[in-house]
Amino acid sequence: MAKIGTIHNRDSFLNKISKSLNRPRLTGPIPRPEWKYQPQHEVFKGASPDELLDIMKVHCQKIHTNLYETDLKGLPDVLNDVVEGYGGGPVVISKDERFAEWGLDSLLKKEWPSRDMDVFEWDYTLGDENVRRAEQANVGITISEITLAESATVVLFSDKDHGRTINFLPATSIMLIPKSTLVPRFTQAAVKMREIHQQTGRVASCINFITGPSNSADIELNLVVGVHGPIKASYIVIHDL
């Protein structure tokens, strides 16, 4: 039995393919092409965080997503109001120290439970129980790592403490967006993700790009919102700059 991670007969296999294609096999690094024109870097180039936020607000109207703004002091009240507007719990959240850093511990661990609102924090040691609780939740709360202003898209990194089902199985979704995460578009998000990989040597197990609630326009290009989960979505932008 072959060991995990061992590749047998790779060279002979690739040499055979190269011979069949009638070209030499490339064995060295391929230089990155330098394109003469790179318009992707010019879109919203030099836009300030406030300007990016204004761009995002406009697009949120097109994707049927509510956008709220607050500072850290007002975050617990705004989050509470949005969750109540969705009908309350059950609530599922990722295991993330930023909730405590942003002053949400009292709301998540005391106030809501005292009102018989169930709050479940993702725990990878529980296995499939996490998925079951996410499926039963009314609200899923996550934090955007990078936010694309052009399309009002949040970027979420999955790992053992940030299960991807938090984003899809609850009926509604609330994304907390630090204003400092705003970038013009996917171009800059790709650069940031490459920088993260170069700095840490790790890549998230799953990277989700989420633009508002679920939708489909497959039938004659007629947009239908809320076709699966989440049915509704809200963004809460936190002024952290």
Side-chain angles (χ1 to χ4, degrees):
M1 180 178 293
K3 296 181 180 179
I4 296 176
T6 301
I7 301 175
H8 294 279
N9 303 315
R10 177 174 58 181
D11 289 337
S12 60
F13 176 76
L14 294 176
N15 288 336
K16 184 176 182 180
I17 292 177
S18 296
K19 183 178 180 180
S20 299
L21 294 174
N22 196 30
R23 65 168 177 78
R25 179 184 161 197
L26 301 177
T27 57
I30 300 175
R32 181 182 298 272
E34 295 184 7
W35 306 109
K36 181 177 180 180
Y37 300 105
Q38 301 186 51
Q40 70 272 22
H41 294 290
E42 302 302 316
V43 181
F44 306 135
K45 183 178 181 179
S48 69
D50 287 334
E51 290 170 332
L52 292 177
L53 181 55
D54 287 338
I55 293 167
M56 183 175 172
K57 288 178 183 177
V58 172
H59 201 75
C60 277
Q61 297 175 7
K62 300 178 182 180
I63 62 172
H64 305 275
T65 299
N66 297 318
L67 186 148
Y68 305 87
E69 296 180 65
T70 183
D71 55 17
L72 287 176
K73 183 178 180 181
L75 179 59
D77 289 335
V78 173
L79 180 59
N80 180 69
D81 290 344
V82 176
V83 171
E84 285 190 345
Y86 281 151
V91 174
V92 60
I93 63 173
S94 55
K95 184 178 179 60
D96 197 310
E97 60 186 15
R98 287 174 291 186
F99 287 120
E101 293 172 359
W102 294 347
L104 293 173
D105 262 6
S106 180
L107 178 68
L108 297 172
K109 298 181 179 180
K110 296 179 181 179
E111 185 175 340
W112 281 349
S114 71
R115 287 154 40 191
D116 295 325
M117 185 184 300
D118 182 64
V119 179
F120 177 76
E121 181 181 67
W122 189 272
D123 183 350
Y124 74 93
T125 65
L126 298 179
D128 290 343
E129 175 68 9
N130 292 285
V131 178
R132 188 183 71 81
R133 296 295 290 269
E135 185 179 25
Q136 294 175 346
N138 180 49
V139 180
I141 303 175
T142 51
I143 300 174
S144 179
E145 306 295 343
I146 308 172
T147 310
L148 285 54
E150 180 183 48
S151 56
T153 299
V154 299
V155 182
L156 304 175
F157 298 158
S158 296
D159 59 31
K160 64 182 181 64
D161 293 322
H162 301 77
R164 60 186 179 182
T165 53
I166 299 175
N167 314 316
F168 306 117
L169 292 184
T172 61
S173 183
I174 299 174
M175 285 84 156
L176 305 183
I177 301 175
K179 190 177 179 181
S180 58
T181 66
L182 283 170
V183 298
R185 63 203 307 264
F186 180 85
T187 303
Q188 292 74 25
V191 171
K192 281 186 172 291
M193 287 187 288
R194 179 174 175 80
E195 290 174 350
I196 292 172
H197 174 246
Q198 290 176 331
Q199 292 169 4
T200 65
R202 293 183 291 103
V203 177
S205 61
C206 181
I207 299 176
N208 293 305
F209 291 78
I210 300 178
T211 306
S214 63
N215 63 81
S216 174
D218 293 339
I219 303 176
E220 297 183 359
L221 298 181
N222 291 322
L223 181 65
V224 179
V225 179
V227 292
H228 38 77
I231 298 171
K232 297 179 180 180
S234 289
Y235 295 163
I236 300 178
V237 177
I238 305 167
H239 289 267
D240 62 336
L241 295 173

